Amino acid sequence: MVSEAAEQWQIASSRRFVLAHRTMRSALSELEDRRSAASTRLGEPMRTNLEHLAEDAPAIEFVNAMLAEALARKASDIHIEPFKGTMQIRMRIDGSLALWRGVPAVRFAAIASRIKLLCGMDIAERRIPQDGRHSVRVGGRNVDIRASCLPGVWGESIVLRFLGRTVDLPSLAALGLNSSMVTDLQELSYQPSGLLLVSGPTGSGKTTTVYKLLEGLNDGTRKIITVEDPVEIDLPGVIQVNVRQDIGLEFATGLRAILRQDPDVIFVGEIRDSETARIAVRAALTGHLVISTVHTGSAVASVARLLDLGIEGYLLAEAISGVLAQRLLRRLTNGGPERYAGRVGIYELLSVTSEIRDAIRTGASQNAIERLAAASGFANLRADAHSKVQAGLTDEAEVLRVLGN
């Protein structure tokens, strides 16, 4: 080890050495690990010091002010990022990050400790990623926060995400779905069985759409169970299960257990592997409505994704009922200093017709399925985006930014 070698050096006071940056960093990292281990053996004085920092009035006031500012700006996330000599705090507003303020790096330990204490994380652990969650009262309202810590070169990158509540859920029309699409999507969600997918990249609003569908189904006559990573919105009357990878509770194992609970409706937070896909399809074929999300670029691509995960075409053709793909565009303002304020969704809804089922069953190409969908009135994301432009809700620059050429 570098530090062991260093201990053997007999260095005269007049001699100087030049060390490579990588070598020095390795030595310092090893010394830090030794110091942490020693502090644990000596009654964890470091932990005690961090707990004191977390309870100091300046740290409490700063974190409270940061949360209040983020809520006032309607931010979805707060990014706390330490660098050499400074720490920057950015807020994601309408999908874009904006700098709130820079803070001297010397304040990072107290602020990070305060956040960890609030969110139930190990306050002294700085070497491995951690996740936490907390409900805090800010500005007269209760707010659920999900926290994630990721070790970096200059300290931990901390991201706080505000989680929604049912009272905050807008209607499907307010999200941006046109009236005919709202009707068609609700009809698909009211089916007693089948697989209904919502697709799009991270941050495209899939969770909000799914929860609005679940809210509509939650009338007391159905058993609704979800398995999520993590649960983002509290739905009274719905059994919600958090994925716990540390104890082996993943989507597939959670879904298997849910099927023994006599559910009517199942929400699987994401289909990301073959095992989860197989169980979800089987559940849809055996009399359950299964709603899930996938990270694909379009509705038809979601069909291809499940086939790539090993689902046989004849099974998928029988199980799948529809796919909603979506993105979020920034809304134009009606004046004022900012060009955009808020966001509006753009959507494409693929209702699986008998012709499309036959195409899936026989292994037709993605282009062939798209042609069949278009013949039945399917309008893609770009078409919906242009309708939003014509309505004055957004502009072509925003469409280009999100969808490309």
Side-chain angles (χ1 to χ4, degrees), residues 14-89:
S14 60
R15 300 184 65 184
R16 296 183 180 181
F17 293 84
V18 176
L19 292 180
H21 183 265
R22 181 179 301 175
T23 302
M24 179 60 74
R25 175 162 293 175
S26 175
L28 291 175
S29 176
E30 185 180 328
L31 289 172
E32 170 64 16
D33 289 344
R34 288 189 175 192
R35 187 190 65 81
S36 296
S39 68
T40 300
R41 292 193 299 269
L42 295 173
E44 300 188 343
M46 180 180 69
R47 181 185 300 275
T48 302
N49 182 51
L50 291 173
E51 288 173 350
H52 287 319
L53 285 175
E55 296 291 357
D56 280 349
I60 295 173
E61 292 171 1
F62 183 90
V63 171
N64 287 345
M66 179 181 67
L67 295 175
E69 180 70 15
L71 287 172
R73 295 190 181 195
K74 298 182 179 179
S76 60
D77 304 84
I78 302 173
H79 291 243
I80 303 164
E81 302 161 321
F83 297 101
K84 183 179 181 180
T86 187
M87 168 181 66
Q88 71 177 18
I89 298 175

Side-chain angles (χ1 to χ4, degrees), residues 246-309:
D246 57 328
I247 59 172
L249 178 53
E250 310 231 0
F251 282 122
T253 52
L255 185 50
R256 242 188 247 104
I258 286 172
L259 289 172
R260 296 191 289 270
Q261 289 279 311
D262 187 30
D264 297 295
V265 180
I266 301 169
F267 169 46
V268 184
E270 183 186 347
I271 293 178
R272 60 173 68 148
D273 57 65
S274 298
E275 186 179 10
T276 305
R278 284 196 301 271
I279 300 171
V281 167
R282 187 182 71 192
L285 289 170
T286 55
H288 306 87
L289 175 66
V290 180
I291 303 174
S292 190
T293 71
V294 287
H295 287 126
T296 57
S298 69
V300 177
S302 301
V303 175
R305 172 64 174 156
L306 291 186
L307 294 172
D308 289 343
L309 287 174

Side-chain angles (χ1 to χ4, degrees), residues 160-203:
L160 306 178
R161 166 156 289 190
F162 294 105
L163 306 179
R165 293 177 178 270
T166 54
V167 294
D168 299 325
L169 289 175
S171 67
L172 292 173
L175 290 174
L177 285 87
N178 61 48
S179 58
S180 63
M181 200 176 292
V182 168
T183 300
D184 292 343
L185 183 59
Q186 287 179 332
E187 286 181 359
L188 289 171
S189 69
Y190 292 148
Q191 295 299 312
S193 64
L195 177 62
L196 177 58
L197 299 175
V198 179
S199 75
T202 301

